Amino acid sequence: MPQTLRQTLFVLASLLILLGGSFYGVPSQSMAQAAPMQQQTEAPGQVIYQTRHRLKDSLGNSWQVIFYKRVAEGEETRNLNLRLAGFPGAVEFQHPQPLILTTSRGEILEAADDFAEEAPAPNIGEYDVRAIANRLPSRSSLELTLPLKERAASLQIPLPVVLEWQDILKK
């Protein structure tokens, strides 16, 4: 085989390996944000189901969105909460204020502020969603209106994340 043909084949093979590696080695945006439901035993007979995502709000702030359910053996659900953690110093919640959830049909739901008395940090909010769990959408996205001190921001919860929340509700 002539030397130039070997070099050309080597270059093409190298490019294919590099391109193939970039498709498999670097996850896409949707794959990077996908977070399967996690199940963890916290204590004997007590399990927590949760899902975590990183999403950006309408102001460009990044949020860790954690939806979790704590269940004790032989009991009803102990906790069903939505925790929102923003970047420290960039955002601060206004406590006690409810979290406003708006469905794609325009239905407005309110989740009570679990940190009304004292928050572990100003950039963290946690909301009890037990009272509205049966009204959360199962076939559409959801918009959260975050009660921040500076100004309210909205956070879009895409359908795949809402579907994960529905899976947790069924546990």
Side-chain angles (χ1 to χ4, degrees):
M1 195 184 290
Q3 181 69 21
T4 56
L5 182 58
R6 261 191 245 146
Q7 288 175 336
T8 304
L9 288 174
F10 177 77
V11 169
L12 286 174
S14 298
L15 284 173
L16 286 173
I17 290 170
L18 285 173
L19 288 173
S22 68
F23 286 122
Y24 294 107
V26 179
S28 69
Q29 180 73 4
S30 61
M31 290 299 288
Q33 291 181 345
M37 179 177 41
Q38 301 170 4
Q39 176 181 339
Q40 182 178 1
T41 301
E42 289 187 311
Q46 182 170 296
V47 177
I48 186 168
Y49 301 95
Q50 65 178 324
T51 182
R52 296 170 178 250
H53 292 275
R54 284 226 178 266
L55 300 171
K56 287 199 178 215
D57 69 16
S58 58
L59 303 175
N61 297 311
S62 186
W63 291 90
Q64 183 177 42
V65 179
I66 306 165
F67 188 84
Y68 72 93
K69 177 180 183 177
R70 184 173 284 120
V71 180
E73 192 175 305
E75 292 183 28
E76 290 293 314
T77 299
R78 282 194 175 176
N79 299 85
L80 184 58
N81 293 75
L82 178 58
R83 179 174 284 198
L84 303 165
F87 194 76
V91 294
E92 191 171 332
F93 279 93
Q94 184 176 350
H95 296 287
Q97 292 294 320
L99 178 67
I100 306 298
L101 300 89
T102 307
T103 68
S104 61
R105 293 184 175 175
E107 182 180 8
I108 297 175
L109 311 171
E110 284 190 14
D113 188 347
D114 269 1
F115 293 155
E117 300 288 320
E118 184 178 346
N123 61 307
I124 297 176
E126 185 162 297
Y127 302 90
D128 186 344
V129 294
R130 283 181 292 183
I132 61 169
N134 63 344
R135 294 170 51 204
L136 290 173
S138 59
R139 294 189 177 128
S140 64
S141 61
L142 189 62
E143 180 181 17
L144 308 181
T145 302
L146 308 175
L148 304 177
K149 279 192 175 179
E150 309 82 43
R151 60 182 166 165
S154 62
L155 185 62
Q156 296 296 322
I157 307 298
L159 178 59
V161 174
V162 172
L163 293 175
E164 287 180 13
W165 293 4
Q166 289 295 333
D167 285 345
I168 288 177
L169 291 174
K170 293 173 188 170
K171 294 290 181 185

